[in-house]
Amino acid sequence: MPLSIVILAAGQGKRMRSYLPKVLQPLAGRPLLAHVVATARQLHPAAIHIVHGHGGDQVRAALPDADLAWALQAEQLGTGHALMQALPGIPDGHTVLVLYGDVPLVRAGTLAGLVDRAGPQALALLSAVLPDPAGYGRVIRDRAGRVVRIVEHRDANHKELAVAEVNTGLLAAPAAALRRWLAGLGRDNAQGEYYLTDCIGAAVREGLAVEAVIAVSPAEVLGVNDRMQLAEVEAAHRRERAFELMQAGATLIDPARVDVRGSVACGQDVVLDVNVILTGQVRLGDRVRIGPNCVLSDCELGADTEVRANCVIEGASAGERCQIGPFARLRPGTRLADGVHIGNFVEVKNSVLGPGSKANHLSYVGDADIGARVNVGAGTVTCNYDGANKHRTTIGDGAFIGSGTMLIAPVTVGEEATIGAGSTIAHPAPAGKLTLERNRQQTIQGWKRPRKAPK
Ligand code: UD1
Ligand code: CA
C-alpha cells in the first residue's frame, strides 16, 4: 500500500513558555519539526502532510520545502481532530503513518517496522515501557496480551495507572478505516477533546488486528513538552551522534562534550577533544586531531591534519598534515594544500594556500592566491577591500613576506620574491628580488619630551 505520513504539529506547547511555536524549538540547531520531516523522508512516502495551527505562518516559513502538504487545524480540539484535518487529502488505499512534531528522535527503521505491520485490516502502534509512565496514555491489554484500547492518564483508573506500557502516539493504519473511526469519535473525556487514541478501541471492536510494537530504545520516543525535556532530547541526540563517531573509529575524550549538529564522515583514529561542535557537512580524514573548543562547519580536513584549541573553521578545506591554530579562523572559500600551517590569530577567507605555506601569527589573508612554500610573516594584511570592491592578492611560490607587510590589492608578488618587513606594497614585486617600502629612520637631536608644569 502507498504510504502517506501525517505529522501533528498544531499544538501550542504552553509549558515551553516561549514566543516560538513548540515544533520550531531547536534541537541540534534545527527545528524539532525539521528532524521529524527528515526522518519521514527516509521512508520515501507518497506524501507528507503537516497539521499546523499554532504559529501557523511561522511554522510554514520554517519549512519551505515545496512538496510538503499543509493542513490547518484552526482550533486545537485534540489529536483525533488534528488527524481529521489532513485526511481529506489522503486516498483510501493508503497506509497513514502518524508522527508527532514534538517527538523528534524516532528512527526511520522503527517507523518502517510499524508501517510493515499495518495493512488493509491491521493497525500498528508504537508503545514504550517507561520507568515513569505518568502523563502518558496507557496501553491496555487483555489476559491473552492482546491490545484492547488506550486510556489517557487523566481518564485512567487506579489499576490502569499502574500499567508501565505507554502509548507513544505514533501509529500506522489504513486511511479508509481511520476516516471511519475519526467520524465516530466523541469528546466525552476528561479533556473534552477528540482523542486519536480512541481509534484503537474502535479497531478492536471491528475485529482488526491491532499490534503494539514496543520501541527498543525509550530515547527515540521522548516527547518535548517543556525545556527540561528539550534538554533531555538534546542530550540523547548528542549521545547517539557521539556513539556513531566512536563506531566509525574516532576517540572522543568526553562523548558528552562533542556536539554533532550535521553529518560527519570520519576516518579512523580521529581524536576529538572536549567542547567540539561539528555542523553542516564535515569530513575528517584518518588521524585528524581536533583540540578543545573548536567549531567546525561545512569543512573537509585531510589525513593527519591537526586543529589546535579554540579554532573556528567554516566552509573551508585543508589537505593532509596541516597545522591549524590555536586560535585560528578559517572562513568560507579557504583551501589549504598539504602541509600548510595557520597559526594563532590568523584569519583566512576565500584564499588558496599552496603546499607547505605558512602564516603563523596575527595575519589577515583574504581573497589571495598563495603558491607553495610561501612564508607570510607576522602581522601581514592583504588589504583586499577598497570600500566598494574586493581585490585579489597573488603571491608566487617560495616568496617571503616580511612581518607587518600591507599588501594593497590588486597586487602581485613574484616567485621567490622577498618583501622587507614593514612594507606597504601597492605595485608588483618582482620575482627573486628584495622589495621594500620604508621611510628613512630619523633621530631628532636635542628633542625633549614635554613635561607637566610643577604646581
Ligand atoms: C498524546 C496521546 C497519549 C500519548 C502521548 C505521547 C492522545 C489523546 N494522547 O497525549 O496517549 O501517551 O501523546 O506523547 O492522542 N496536536 C495537534 N492538535 C491538537 C492536539 C495535539 O496538532 O489539537 C499535536 C501536538 O502538537 C503534538 C501532538 O499532537 O505534536 C501530541 O499532542 P499532545 O497534546 O502533546 O498529546 P498528549 O496529551 O501528550
Ligand atoms: Ca505530548
Side-chain angles (χ1 to χ4, degrees):
M1 286 169 84
L3 175 66
S4 282
I5 297 182
V6 180
I7 304 173
L8 305 187
Q12 177 181 3
K14 281 204 193 84
R15 283 172 282 167
M16 296 299 298
R17 298 187 170 279
S18 174
Y19 293 110
L20 201 61
K22 179 165 78 173
V23 291
L24 296 188
Q25 296 290 337
L27 162 64
R30 286 190 304 148
L32 291 171
L33 184 55
H35 289 266
V36 181
V37 170
T39 308
R41 285 194 190 292
Q42 290 181 44
L43 300 178
H44 306 292
I48 299 177
H49 299 257
I50 303 179
V51 180
H52 70 301
H54 206 86
D57 293 341
Q58 221 181 330
V59 174
R60 287 185 69 149
L63 285 130
D65 319 33
D67 62 337
L68 297 173
W70 294 90
L72 180 68
Q73 186 194 25
E75 226 187 327
Q76 277 77 65
L77 301 177
T79 48
H81 181 258
L83 179 57
M84 238 183 270
Q85 311 311 307
L87 272 189
I90 300 176
D92 266 346
H94 282 211
T95 298
V96 176
L97 172 65
V98 179
L99 306 180
Y100 284 5
D102 59 359
V103 179
L105 295 183
V106 67
R107 292 191 196 136
T110 302
L111 298 177
L114 264 193
V115 171
D116 280 349
R117 283 175 178 80
Q121 296 300 320
L123 178 152
L125 67 100
L126 186 66
S127 70
V129 177
L130 300 184
D132 177 15
Y136 287 90
R138 309 296 207 281
V139 178
I140 306 303
R141 294 173 184 265
D142 64 15
R143 284 220 187 82
R146 288 179 303 234
V147 176
V148 181
R149 62 195 169 91
I150 308 291
V151 59
E152 289 306 295
H153 182 99
R154 294 219 245 161
D155 301 299
N157 63 34
H158 196 68
K159 217 174 129 199
E160 290 162 340
L161 285 177
V163 173
E165 185 182 0
V166 306
N167 173 36
T168 67
L170 281 50
L171 60 82
L178 280 171
R179 222 184 297 282
R180 202 163 59 237
W181 300 327
L182 290 177
L185 286 187
R187 48 200 292 200
D188 178 20
N189 51 53
Q191 302 182 74
E193 289 184 354
Y194 297 99
Y195 286 171
L196 174 57
T197 44
D198 285 348
C199 289
I200 313 300
V204 171
R205 282 194 297 279
E206 284 187 14
L208 262 75
V210 175
E211 195 178 344
V213 179
I214 301 178
V216 188
S217 117
E220 61 173 321
V221 300
L222 285 176
V224 176
N225 295 305
D226 56 35
R227 298 201 195 235
M228 283 69 81
Q229 288 172 332
L230 183 62
E232 271 173 43
V233 164
E234 182 82 38
H237 178 274
R238 178 185 305 120
R239 204 159 38 234
E240 275 179 26
R241 297 286 93 78
F243 286 173
E244 285 167 11
L245 287 184
M246 292 190 281
Q247 272 157 2
T251 293
L252 275 55
I253 303 298
D254 181 357
R257 285 187 285 169
V258 169
D259 281 85
V260 176
R261 298 177 184 168
S263 72
V264 180
C266 189
Q268 294 188 18
D269 300 309
V270 165
V271 179
L272 304 181
D273 212 322
V274 301
N275 299 331
V276 170
I277 298 177
L278 307 170
T279 73
Q281 311 266 336
V282 174
R283 299 181 71 87
L284 305 176
D286 290 339
R287 296 173 302 279
V288 162
R289 279 153 297 157
I290 311 291
N293 312 318
C294 290
V295 181
L296 275 60
S297 326
D298 293 307
C299 64
E300 179 165 1
L301 306 179
D304 298 296
T305 283
E306 179 181 8
V307 178
R308 295 177 179 166
N310 303 300
C311 291
V312 177
I313 300 181
E314 183 192 355
S317 70
E320 302 184 353
R321 300 177 310 283
C322 292
Q323 280 183 26
I324 300 164
F327 298 100
R329 179 172 183 210
L330 304 185
R331 292 171 51 200
T334 296
R335 283 189 286 131
L336 310 181
D338 293 344
V340 168
H341 290 193
I342 300 293
N344 38 238
F345 308 107
V346 174
E347 173 182 349
V348 185
K349 184 213 77 169
N350 193 26
S351 295
V352 178
L353 278 84
S357 286
K358 295 176 182 171
N360 274 327
H361 326 272
L362 296 155
S363 289
Y364 174 59
V365 177
D367 302 305
D369 298 295
I370 297 180
R373 293 171 287 100
V374 170
N375 188 83
V376 177
T380 295
V381 175
T382 54
C383 307
N384 58 330
Y385 186 48
D386 60 14
N389 299 300
K390 302 275 169 66
H391 302 282
R392 295 199 76 84
T393 298
T394 304
I395 303 178
D397 294 347
F400 180 97
I401 313 296
S403 296
T405 296
M406 298 295 120
L407 296 158
I408 314 291
V411 71
T412 302
V413 175
E415 289 183 13
E416 303 291 333
T418 300
I419 306 295
S423 297
T424 296
I425 303 296
H427 305 287
K433 300 212 161 97
L434 170 66
T435 299
L436 49 80
E437 185 275 348
R438 235 181 244 167
N439 290 331
R440 183 180 296 276
Q441 180 170 324
Q442 305 180 53
T443 302
I444 310 298
Q445 299 301 332
W447 181 84
K448 289 248 164 44
R449 200 187 282 179
R451 286 175 195 281
K452 280 187 180 160
K455 283 185 187 152

